[in-house]
Amino acid sequence: MSCGEPHETDCSEVLDHLYEFLDSEMPDVDRDKFQHHFEECSPCLEKYGLEQAVKKLVKRCCGHDDVPSDLRAKVMGRIDLIRSGQTVPEHDVTATAQES
């Protein structure tokens, strides 16, 4: 997507990192650069608005579901393995631990 106008930040870069912008997961310098892009590029601003609306809808409709405790334990176990530098197996690590 592009509006056909030259920009300091290319439309493809903005759209590739749109969710990082939406989730505030980028440095302030990049956020400012993207904000400036949205001010001058209506197609990207429209895409941003659409994705923001979808994200709000998903949060409203699905944001209240509780995470099953066994799923949380599995995810936390994998995070611990990754942090410790161990290789994360492709199979279910908790099933192996429970069977032992």
Side-chain angles (χ1 to χ4, degrees), residues 24-57:
S24 299
E25 295 178 343
M26 61 175 34
D28 289 340
V29 172
D30 291 334
R31 285 190 60 75
D32 293 343
K33 184 171 68 167
F34 279 41
Q35 187 63 46
H36 177 72
H37 182 92
F38 292 132
E39 290 169 2
E40 64 184 22
C41 182
S42 59
C44 287
L45 179 61
E46 184 177 334
K47 179 70 173 168
Y48 164 74
L50 177 63
E51 294 300 328
Q52 186 178 42
V54 168
K55 186 175 166 133
K56 285 180 182 179
L57 179 64

Side-chain angles (χ1 to χ4, degrees), residues 5 8-10 21-22 34 39 43 46 59 61 77 81 84 87 89-90 97 99-100:
E5 299 292 326
E8 181 179 327
T9 307
D10 189 61
F21 180 84
L22 282 167
F34 279 41
E39 290 169 2
E46 184 177 334
K59 183 177 182 180
C61 294
L81 286 174
S84 68
T87 304
E90 292 296 319
E99 293 170 2
S100 302

Side-chain angles (χ1 to χ4, degrees), residues 77-90 93:
R78 284 188 176 243
I79 290 171
D80 289 342
L81 286 174
I82 292 167
R83 284 185 177 157
S84 68
Q86 297 180 32
T87 304
V88 179
E90 292 296 319
V93 292

Side-chain angles (χ1 to χ4, degrees), residues 1-2 4 32 39 42 55 67-68 70 74 86 90 94 96:
M1 168 189 292
S2 177
D32 293 343
E39 290 169 2
S42 59
K55 186 175 166 133
V67 177
D70 61 328
K74 289 177 186 180
Q86 297 180 32
E90 292 296 319
T94 57
T96 306

